[in-house]
Amino acid sequence: MNYESAVRYLLSLGRELAAPTQAAAAKFDLENITILAERLGRPDRAYPAAHIAGTNGKGSTAAFFESILRHAGFRTGLNTSPHLEKINERIRINGEEIPDEALAETFTRIQLLIEELLAAAKLRAHPTYFECVTAMAFEYFARQRVEFGVFEVGLGGRLDATNILSPVVTIITRIDFDHENFLGHSLREIAAEKAGILKPGVPFVLAEQPAEAREVILSRATKLGSPVIEAAQVFRVDRESMQEGRIRARIREADSGKVFELAPSLPGRFQLQNALNAFAAARLLQNRGFRIPDDALTVGIANTIWPGRLEKLQSAPDVYLDGAHNPGAARELSYFLEQNFSGRKIYLIYGALRDKAVDEVAGLLFPHAAEVIFTAPRTVRAVSAGQLAEITGHHAAHCSVIPDAERAFDHVLAHAAPEDAVFITGSLYLVGQLRHYWKQRAQVATR
């Protein structure tokens, strides 16, 4: 297969959260990925790995941790989801996306093995889109001889395809409500699914949690004999400051008294917690013999790139992208707006998916906006712009409905003054779509 046909085939298998009617092959256990990994020779065991779960911040934490390792001199593999613009983003080596040709070649080889396993009745169904991409990451990293792999859970943890890993360290970021239809309708149930990534005796880093989630996770850790490092307790903030939305903090390690200066490159106060998660995991590896210089800890965090999360595209007017798609993420974006954009006119371009708590998210974000523009990303899972307005419009001071996302973006840029701010949010699908469109507009403008 060439690149286009490989991507088309993968997409035909259904997205990660596709309903059974959209992906008849959907399987919510580890049987498929285990059989496929065994046939591949267990490439997931060819390198030490970190495994990261959580509701919010797991992608940023993975990016921080990979950057630390890369700046320490490791050849790194990073597997994350979802992607914003191109599937290649999910599989990176040393920060570089898998090339089109390598993606097509890797999937073609794996697809031949899948057909072989199906013919021999060793697989009961074709692996899903996410299972295939996970297997591709395992295999590509092994063939490219990465020295450390960093893997972000796709959904939950216990039954996620990445959970066949045997990591040297795991991380659980902040837990909140999201994907309740899959993970449960209480924080205790959701935490139990996330805690499913813990392995016997494998140390893990735990971000600050709601009490009920922390209790569930620590109980599971005790049963498994998994040593725990609670990042917020091990590293205390001596002082912090904010400048243009970015935080700088002086932190002290509780046991050693050692002091570090952390300046995450990503804006938002919440990124300090994500940076601390990665920092704590890297310190743990240092203590276990991994060669990670102290300066790699701070330089790696200061040079992390993670698009679509409070990413600033331009100035005059300021345009930001942020995939705040659940209440926890919306609270963080709300705080960012309150601290950095008070008194400025804010346009909010908002689109969301059907399985999201849109009314709660709207209640947190819309009061900050002078105008909300309802739109919809190009996915069958999107709430229509008109329906979104009906459900959440009461939270907005002023609103309009422009179903086509690109037209909505053009409309706002035509009306926003240089001193105004534009935030595109609600769905990572929308963020990725308009990020791509903004780059196209910029290319046209420079011709």
Side-chain angles (χ1 to χ4, degrees), residues 297-312:
L297 300 172
T298 52
V299 173
I301 285 171
N303 287 279
T304 299
I305 297 172
W306 194 234
R309 284 74 174 178
L310 280 176
E311 178 186 12
K312 187 176 182 180

Side-chain angles (χ1 to χ4, degrees), residues 234-304:
V234 173
F235 297 99
R236 301 299 178 91
V237 177
D238 281 356
R239 67 167 185 265
E240 62 182 55
S241 61
M242 293 283 291
Q243 187 174 3
E244 295 184 350
R246 287 177 167 79
I247 191 166
R248 174 181 290 273
R250 182 177 186 265
I251 64 167
R252 185 181 302 275
E253 192 171 38
D255 290 342
S256 67
K258 199 167 185 177
V259 173
F260 298 88
E261 295 281 345
L262 294 190
S265 58
L266 307 180
R269 190 184 185 285
F270 60 94
Q271 291 295 1
L272 178 59
Q273 177 65 73
N274 297 328
L276 279 176
N277 295 335
F279 187 91
R283 286 289 284 163
L284 187 153
L285 293 184
Q286 278 184 323
N287 294 333
R288 296 195 167 219
F290 285 81
R291 291 189 297 275
I292 303 175
D294 282 355
D295 63 348
L297 300 172
T298 52
V299 173
I301 285 171
N303 287 279
T304 299

Side-chain angles (χ1 to χ4, degrees), residues 2-4 6-8 10-11 15-16 78-92 96-104 129 133 136 306-307 309 428-429 431-437 439:
N2 61 21
Y3 176 76
E4 289 74 18
V7 171
R8 191 161 53 248
L10 280 165
L11 293 177
R15 294 263 181 197
E16 290 94 326
L78 177 63
N79 174 223
T80 59
S81 63
H83 60 271
L84 294 179
E85 299 178 56
K86 196 175 181 183
I87 193 173
N88 307 51
E89 299 167 26
R90 295 170 179 246
I91 303 173
R92 303 173 189 246
E96 297 295 325
E97 298 172 10
I98 182 173
D100 290 356
E101 299 79 10
L103 186 146
Y129 170 93
V133 175
M136 289 164 62
W306 194 234
R309 284 74 174 178
L428 282 169
Y429 286 92
V431 164
Q433 182 177 325
L434 292 187
R435 186 175 193 268
H436 180 71
Y437 180 62
K439 289 194 291 187

Side-chain angles (χ1 to χ4, degrees), residues 98-149:
I98 182 173
D100 290 356
E101 299 79 10
L103 186 146
E105 190 274 331
T106 302
F107 178 63
T108 300
R109 186 170 61 253
I110 287 176
Q111 177 59 24
L112 289 172
L113 295 180
I114 290 171
E115 290 173 355
E116 172 194 305
L117 292 166
L118 286 168
K122 292 182 179 179
L123 284 175
R124 288 186 288 167
H126 195 293
T128 62
Y129 170 93
F130 187 78
E131 288 170 332
C132 287
V133 175
T134 300
M136 289 164 62
F138 290 156
E139 175 74 355
Y140 186 64
F141 292 167
R143 285 181 174 257
Q144 292 295 311
R145 300 184 183 280
V146 304
E147 297 169 306
F148 206 108

